[in-house]
Amino acid sequence: MNADDMNTTSATTAHDSDTTWTGMVAVDDTALAVTDTGGPGIPVVYLNGAYASTRHWQRVIAELGPGYRHIAFDERARGKSKRATDYSFEACMRDIDAVLDARGVERPLLVGWSYGALLGVHWASRNPTRALGVVGVDGPYPVGWTDEAGHDEIRKVFKRMKPLMPLVRPLGLAARFSAETHADLAIESHLLHAALEPVLDGITVPVRYVVASGEAVGSRDDLQEQMRKAIDPLLARNPNLKVSAKVGSNHGSVLRKDSRAVAVVVREVAALERPGR
């Protein structure tokens, strides 16, 4: 990476009556492509799926409209962001902090899809006085493969996908790193999901779920529905957790087909904000 890649650069475009900032935010040995619509509205920070880019949020942002400050960014080696040497979950957590610091955001409302929802609840758990709340779009669910047989299956899947990765990157199904790194991140994600229960039990900010009801392509039996049911005991124990919407789409299509429902739940969490909270 050259020195120019590490600079925080910006460009502005018209966004209704506000000014949209687009640029690169430096963090560690990389730089993230960030868009911030600005304005006085509640800052909504969008957290992508594991290999996705900000393009998946376009419909949700359009549904919410200009009354909010929309901040979206591509994770490392996704979308327009640069490659890095570290793609771990903790690196992603540092990226959230870097974007918030660079854009001067104190109290965000975090909206995450899939892996992004896992990032959102962990960030809120670590920053309970700063997080306005979290909207989890079909996630996070406290279940994951922790056995070596399951991890071997993940490795085999990504090995088979390797030739297809350049083709599926535009769909948010792959990033610009190796198939082996994809597998490592998926395994880490499974372990983090399996250990999620204490995080959700202890979270003190509003967390609202948008739960998809369809089975994803390639999912076996009713595996995803069983994953979704894993939050039921947590909903009973922690009043800060709530399923606000259950929609008919599946995990991969929820942002495209049910963007309106996601926007409704974002408004629900935003309405919980009170002066002095």
Side-chain angles (χ1 to χ4, degrees):
M1 181 176 300
N2 60 44
D4 290 340
D5 289 336
M6 291 303 300
N7 292 335
T8 301
T9 59
S10 67
T12 56
T13 57
H15 179 79
D16 295 327
S17 60
D18 301 323
T19 299
T20 294
W21 183 95
T22 60
M24 306 299 290
V25 169
V27 54
D28 297 343
D29 64 346
T30 187
L32 309 175
V34 180
T35 300
D36 177 359
T37 63
I42 287 174
V44 181
V45 177
Y46 299 91
L47 304 174
N48 308 325
Y51 312 117
S53 68
T54 58
R55 62 181 288 273
H56 294 84
W57 296 106
Q58 292 174 355
R59 287 180 172 83
V60 175
I61 291 171
E63 288 284 352
L64 286 168
Y68 295 85
R69 179 181 176 184
H70 303 284
I71 301 168
F73 67 97
D74 292 328
E75 261 299 346
R76 304 170 182 217
R78 287 83 149 176
K80 297 179 181 179
S81 291
K82 306 298 181 181
R83 290 184 173 91
T85 56
D86 186 357
Y87 296 108
S88 67
F89 182 82
E90 288 302 323
C92 293
M93 294 292 286
R94 293 195 298 275
D95 291 348
I96 297 172
D97 288 329
V99 170
L100 295 178
D101 289 347
R103 302 310 302 149
V105 175
E106 289 298 323
R107 296 202 67 228
L109 194 169
L110 303 167
V111 185
W113 167 46
S114 190
Y115 185 78
L118 180 67
L119 288 166
V121 296
H122 269 273
W123 194 91
S125 176
R126 299 180 192 186
N127 300 274
T129 62
R130 290 187 62 192
L132 194 157
V134 180
V135 174
V137 183
D138 210 30
Y141 303 117
V143 59
W145 291 343
T146 60
D147 61 294
E148 193 56 34
H151 297 171
D152 283 344
E153 184 168 342
I154 290 170
R155 294 185 186 100
K156 290 175 183 176
V157 167
F158 282 102
K159 186 176 182 179
R160 289 195 298 268
M161 279 186 61
K162 188 174 182 177
L164 300 175
M165 283 183 175
L167 301 177
V168 299
R169 278 174 191 147
L171 304 177
L173 299 177
R176 297 193 313 280
F177 43 68
S178 70
E180 293 77 15
T181 299
H182 280 79
D184 289 343
L185 296 187
I187 290 168
E188 181 188 43
S189 174
H190 272 270
L191 293 171
L192 287 164
H193 278 94
L196 188 59
E197 193 167 315
V199 175
L200 293 176
D201 268 334
I203 206 160
T204 58
V205 304
V207 176
R208 300 292 182 265
Y209 281 82
V210 178
V211 176
S213 59
E215 286 291 317
V217 175
S219 179
R220 295 194 306 267
D221 303 320
D222 61 347
L223 176 62
Q224 289 193 316
E225 184 60 24
Q226 293 304 314
M227 290 171 59
R228 292 161 184 151
K229 288 179 179 178
I231 61 170
D232 290 347
L234 295 160
L235 298 173
R237 295 199 299 261
N238 187 345
N240 294 306
L241 308 176
K242 178 183 175 183
V243 173
S244 290
K246 189 165 185 177
V247 296
S249 53
N250 65 29
H251 187 77
S253 66
V254 61
L255 292 181
R256 184 177 77 254
K257 294 185 176 180
D258 286 299
S259 56
R260 183 167 298 177
V262 175
V264 167
V265 178
V266 172
R267 292 190 188 100
E268 175 190 330
V269 176
L272 299 175
E273 174 69 343
R274 297 290 183 271
R277 178 178 175 271

